[in-house]
Amino acid sequence: SPSPCAFQALEAEARAALGRGDPQEVLSSASKLRVTREAMGTLREGQWLNDEVINFYLQLVAERSRKAGYPSVHAFSTFFYPKLVSGGHAAVRRWTKDMDIFQKDIILVPIHLGVHWALVVIDVRKKAIRYYDSLGQRGMKICQALLQYLQEESRSRRGLELASAQWSLHSMGAQEIPQQRNQSDCGVFLCQYAESICRERAITFS
């Protein structure tokens, strides 16, 4: 854990990021993504995290996975699932033109449900698709849509039929994972589910 001095420095940096300034000022950038002061403001208590912050955070998790000792991770952006739903596999085929997602251990798919965020985790090693929702909502239809995507991706990229009967789909129940106690923390819970899973740690945060 950080030393008291390091923790104070982090707190000061956070206060500065959430303070006044040009809303379009870029406060951080990585892998072609950036976070502006305006987006950082969604981290204030009672606010809803926006796409910019969630995509940035998941990209940091995916980048960390390149280090030894971590499972390999690919994080789709928040725009992936709506595109898949509206246009099918053909609409998102180019999203993986330079990679084979079946070579990854874990695939993260953030899901935006209008005014609520959830997360799907595809564990390629275990052939499992899991839906994580901090309000305990069910997401089996989303899991099924992503299994169909994997089937079409396998045919398209590898010329192989995916043995779908070997895959398990599960919508995590409210008793299985931490649940939010307000109407604003869903995005933070999404990020923390991803953080724990991609470090292969128990999901025990509150």
Side-chain angles (χ1 to χ4, degrees):
S1 60
S3 67
C5 288
F7 188 74
Q8 288 174 0
L10 286 171
E11 281 192 321
E13 188 174 353
R15 283 195 300 272
L18 295 173
R20 293 182 179 180
D22 179 2
Q24 299 309 310
E25 178 187 356
V26 176
L27 299 183
S28 189
S29 59
S31 296
K32 300 180 181 179
L33 296 180
R34 65 178 194 169
V35 174
T36 61
R37 184 178 296 278
E38 182 178 27
M40 198 70 76
T42 67
L43 288 164
R44 291 190 182 94
E45 186 174 352
Q47 300 294 309
W48 293 342
L49 267 61
N50 69 358
D51 296 88
E52 198 174 310
V53 170
I54 288 175
N55 288 331
F56 193 88
Y57 188 87
L58 295 184
Q59 188 60 46
L60 291 178
V61 170
E63 284 187 9
R64 184 186 60 190
S65 77
R66 299 192 181 101
K67 297 179 181 179
Y70 290 95
S72 60
V73 175
H74 176 69
F76 280 117
S77 88
T78 53
F79 306 108
F80 172 80
Y81 186 72
K83 194 81 170 174
L84 174 66
V85 171
S86 64
H89 180 265
V92 294
R93 190 177 188 279
R94 294 187 55 171
W95 290 54
T96 55
K97 64 184 179 68
D98 297 322
M99 64 171 292
D100 180 358
I101 61 172
F102 296 99
Q103 294 299 312
K104 298 292 184 179
D105 295 323
I106 295 172
I107 302 167
L108 303 174
V109 187
I111 306 293
H112 192 219
L113 302 169
V115 294
H116 181 57
W117 289 106
L119 176 71
V120 171
V121 176
I122 301 171
D123 191 322
V124 179
R125 302 162 300 179
K126 298 177 181 178
K127 294 184 171 60
I129 302 176
R130 301 286 181 262
Y131 177 79
Y132 294 78
D133 192 305
S134 57
L135 287 178
Q137 299 177 140
R138 306 292 291 172
M140 286 303 292
K141 288 185 178 179
I142 295 172
C143 291
Q144 290 163 358
L146 288 168
L147 177 59
Q148 183 178 347
Y149 163 76
L150 291 177
Q151 291 173 306
E152 296 180 28
E153 180 73 3
S154 183
R155 291 190 202 106
S156 173
R157 297 291 178 200
R158 308 188 299 172
L160 296 173
E161 286 295 322
L162 195 74
S164 57
Q166 296 178 3
W167 285 73
S168 64
L169 280 61
H170 181 60
S171 188
M172 303 295 285
Q175 75 284 359
E176 296 179 272
I177 54 175
Q179 298 287 285
Q180 65 188 92
R181 296 183 179 180
N182 58 26
Q183 295 300 311
S184 59
D185 280 349
C186 53
V188 177
F189 272 73
L190 180 165
C191 291
Q192 289 307 294
Y193 292 146
E195 156 67 12
S196 299
I197 291 163
C198 294
R199 281 195 302 135
E200 299 189 304
R201 299 288 180 86
I203 305 176
T204 56
F205 61 89
S206 67

